[in-house]
Amino acid sequence: MLQPQGVPVANSRLTVLAVWQAPTVILTVFAVIGLWPDPAVEHRPLTLIAPLALLSASTLALVLVRWEDWGPRQRVIIPATDVVALTLLQIGGVAVIPTIALLTILPLVWLGFELAWAGVVAAFASACLVGGYSYVSQDVWPTTRLAWVDTLLLPLVALSLIVVAQIVSTMLRHNRNHLLTNTTELRAALQSANDQVTVAQAVLDTVGAAVWFYGPDGELKLGNEHGETFARIGGFKLDQPPYAGEHVWTADRTHRIALEDQLVPTALREEEVASHLEWWGSSGRQVALVAGSRRVRRADGTALGAVVAAWDITDLVESLRVREEFLATVSHELRSPLTSIMGYLELAQDALEPGSPALAPLAVMTRNAETLRDRISTLLVANRDVHASVEPVLQEVGPAVAEVVLRHRPAASRAGVRMWADLPDGVTGRIDPPQFDQVVDNLISNAIKYTPAGGRVDVQLHDLPGGFCLTVTDTGVGMNEVERRQAFDRFYRTTSARDSAAQGIGVGLSIVRDIVRAHGGEITLDPAPNGGTIATVIIPHEPITADDLPRSPRIG
């Protein structure tokens, strides 16, 4: 079937044959069969045989010629031929069958379809010619009202049908074009979505982490090979409940995590899981994972699902464990002979007479041995579990801080650094005195060490509704953002510390952070307004229990 302006609706010419040509041929044959025996039909070769011949020729042409490749002006040959054939049939049979002129309506509508609105005009003119042929052939005009109605009825009926068909066709064509546009856009959007999924899957398979995405119904939507591998190690399947296995352990590698508390079930309960250390796998085949999850939502808050991610840090954990074991072993092995050396140095000093020239070098040796002993003690402290040794008690904090400040005033004076302390009375807190003393001592000694002569170190204590706050501010060299972020890493030393050859091995702030966290508090480093650094320690009042302690994962 063809739309106006020759737009093909079906690719097969047989469709056009079935819709337009076949009904015309069948009805014409039916009319000829009725007219053939009637003696009133005149000029039979012209009015009966010729129409059948023309219809047969147009039908064969329709089947054999690729009319769909032609323009609409060429394709109108077929319906025009049918109109001529039916006009001849009307000449011979209108006296016998007055309604025979109705056979021309179908090819006239077809003609209108092929030429759009121009075809409507052509079809109406053809209908007028068919209806008024008897008057035209006799060169006369209708003289009565009934004659005019008889002459114009067929053209008007044909015109009405053609106009209605043209309007419907225009609407269908508009809808079809709209649907084609929408289909093209949908196909492009679908292709773009498929491309994004392909790219996302490629990215997931490339990165060295396990990533899973679950929809709001708990169905696995996306995952990668690392995720499947980790799930097998943990003893479960990613796409089958309960999404948890028997071989998932806490950071201490000794306690199993309950199925309902494991990573994926927790994420599916719409609970975000902060990154933390877990061990997955059976005994002897465990891998260390840093795992976490996050909810995914639309801009309007609608939940889209949860993303779960895990990174294999087994090699890193093992290397840190080996390093700590090595440091602990070396520290213990060095401490014993060093104690013996210091003992013999003391004996040697006692054996010499006062004023002996050997006392000066022995004093230097003793001082360096004491420095080495302090370094070894620091290493031992850095490798012990601070949380287990903290026993906080409620007491006034100001005197404890004042004692440390007083202890450091001579060193500050020798360095040309002014010290100022604001320690109001009545500020209480739950602290472990020896451990908290180490925190304050380290912060003040660092501030003095990295503040040039003429600088200043301020120590302030503040009472808070839920605890207390201690700040140590210096006007020293300060730290950039990267240095502040890494300052609490073990054995990290800033560039300025290395360049100035300042004493230390880079574990002091790491120990301070562990002690503060063992108290349930937190420590931060910020740039001071006029240069230097502000160290802020906040410790809450609430009693601290072993289960409440915020701690970094212990290695090993």
Side-chain angles (χ1 to χ4, degrees), residues 46 54 148 295 301 347 368 383 431 442:
L46 178 64
L54 289 173
W148 276 107
R295 299 296 299 176
L347 290 174
N368 288 331
N383 282 277
I431 60 174
N442 191 287

Side-chain angles (χ1 to χ4, degrees), residues 241-404:
Y243 312 109
E246 298 181 355
H247 304 306
V248 179
W249 311 79
T250 58
D252 59 12
R253 306 178 72 170
T254 58
H255 297 88
R256 279 192 175 92
I257 301 178
L259 297 181
E260 63 273 12
D261 294 331
Q262 291 184 25
L263 185 62
V264 177
T266 303
L268 294 181
R269 291 198 300 268
E270 299 190 5
E271 299 178 19
E272 292 195 0
V273 181
S275 296
H276 63 286
L277 177 64
E278 293 182 0
W279 288 88
W280 289 21
S282 56
S283 179
R285 298 179 55 195
Q286 292 180 334
V287 296
L289 300 179
V290 170
S293 70
R294 184 173 182 178
R295 299 296 299 176
V296 180
R297 299 182 183 276
R298 292 195 180 100
D300 61 0
T302 304
L304 296 178
V307 174
V308 182
W311 294 264
D312 185 355
I313 61 169
T314 306
D315 293 340
L316 174 61
V317 169
E318 289 300 324
S319 64
L320 292 175
R321 182 186 62 81
V322 170
R323 186 190 71 175
E324 292 192 355
E325 289 180 353
F326 170 76
L327 291 173
T329 301
V330 170
S331 299
H332 281 290
E333 293 298 325
L334 290 177
R335 192 171 190 177
S336 296
L338 182 60
T339 302
S340 177
I341 292 173
M342 292 181 66
Y344 279 106
L345 286 173
E346 185 177 353
L347 290 174
Q349 288 174 319
D350 292 341
L352 293 174
E353 295 291 335
S356 173
L359 287 175
L362 286 175
V364 173
M365 294 172 63
T366 300
R367 186 167 60 252
N368 288 331
E370 290 174 348
T371 300
L372 182 57
R373 181 192 60 190
D374 292 341
R375 297 285 187 270
I376 294 173
S377 298
T378 301
L379 287 175
L380 290 174
V381 171
N383 282 277
R384 67 182 171 89
D385 188 357
V386 176
H387 298 79
S389 62
V390 170
E391 298 178 357
V393 294
L394 183 62
Q395 68 174 59
E396 191 170 353
V397 182
V401 178
E403 182 180 343
V404 181

Side-chain angles (χ1 to χ4, degrees), residues 70-390:
W70 291 32
R73 296 183 181 278
Q74 289 75 30
R75 287 196 300 268
V76 298
I77 294 175
I78 295 177
T81 302
D82 292 348
V83 171
V84 173
L86 294 176
T87 301
L88 293 177
L89 181 63
Q90 180 187 358
I91 293 173
V94 67
V96 179
I97 305 176
T99 59
I100 199 170
L102 294 176
L103 292 176
T104 59
I105 291 179
L106 196 57
L108 289 175
V109 174
W110 185 3
L111 187 64
F113 264 73
E114 288 293 351
L115 295 178
W117 291 106
V120 172
V121 176
F124 178 71
S126 300
C128 291
L129 180 62
V130 172
Y133 175 78
S134 58
Y135 296 103
V136 173
S137 61
Q138 299 175 14
D139 196 19
V140 296
W141 292 93
T143 57
T144 65
R145 182 176 61 183
L146 185 61
W148 276 107
V149 170
D150 181 61
T151 302
L152 296 177
L153 184 60
L154 176 63
L156 292 175
V157 170
L159 177 64
S160 300
L161 291 176
I162 295 170
V163 169
V164 170
Q166 187 65 29
I167 293 173
V168 172
S169 174
T170 301
M171 295 173 60
L172 290 176
R173 183 181 67 218
H174 175 76
N175 292 338
R176 175 178 177 272
N177 292 337
H178 183 68
L179 289 174
L180 288 175
T181 301
N182 288 345
T183 301
T184 302
E185 293 176 352
L186 289 174
R187 285 177 178 173
L190 179 60
Q191 184 62 47
S192 176
N194 290 334
D195 291 344
Q196 292 179 5
V197 172
T198 301
V199 171
Q201 188 65 56
V203 171
L204 292 181
D205 291 337
T206 302
V207 299
V211 181
W212 317 300
F213 175 68
Y214 289 89
D217 56 354
E219 181 182 358
L220 179 66
K221 300 293 186 181
L222 198 62
N224 60 1
E225 296 179 0
H226 292 289
E228 295 178 359
T229 301
F230 292 163
R232 284 195 301 270
I233 294 174
F236 64 93
K237 292 186 177 180
L238 295 174
D239 56 351
Q240 294 182 10
Y243 312 109
E246 298 181 355
H247 304 306
V248 179
W249 311 79
T250 58
D252 59 12
R253 306 178 72 170
T254 58
H255 297 88
R256 279 192 175 92
I257 301 178
L259 297 181
E260 63 273 12
D261 294 331
Q262 291 184 25
L263 185 62
V264 177
T266 303
L268 294 181
R269 291 198 300 268
E270 299 190 5
E271 299 178 19
E272 292 195 0
V273 181
S275 296
H276 63 286
L277 177 64
E278 293 182 0
W279 288 88
W280 289 21
S282 56
S283 179
R285 298 179 55 195
Q286 292 180 334
V287 296
L289 300 179
V290 170
S293 70
R294 184 173 182 178
R295 299 296 299 176
V296 180
R297 299 182 183 276
R298 292 195 180 100
D300 61 0
T302 304
L304 296 178
V307 174
V308 182
W311 294 264
D312 185 355
I313 61 169
T314 306
D315 293 340
L316 174 61
V317 169
E318 289 300 324
S319 64
L320 292 175
R321 182 186 62 81
V322 170
R323 186 190 71 175
E324 292 192 355
E325 289 180 353
F326 170 76
L327 291 173
T329 301
V330 170
S331 299
H332 281 290
E333 293 298 325
L334 290 177
R335 192 171 190 177
S336 296
L338 182 60
T339 302
S340 177
I341 292 173
M342 292 181 66
Y344 279 106
L345 286 173
E346 185 177 353
L347 290 174
Q349 288 174 319
D350 292 341
L352 293 174
E353 295 291 335
S356 173
L359 287 175
L362 286 175
V364 173
M365 294 172 63
T366 300
R367 186 167 60 252
N368 288 331
E370 290 174 348
T371 300
L372 182 57
R373 181 192 60 190
D374 292 341
R375 297 285 187 270
I376 294 173
S377 298
T378 301
L379 287 175
L380 290 174
V381 171
N383 282 277
R384 67 182 171 89
D385 188 357
V386 176
H387 298 79
S389 62
V390 170

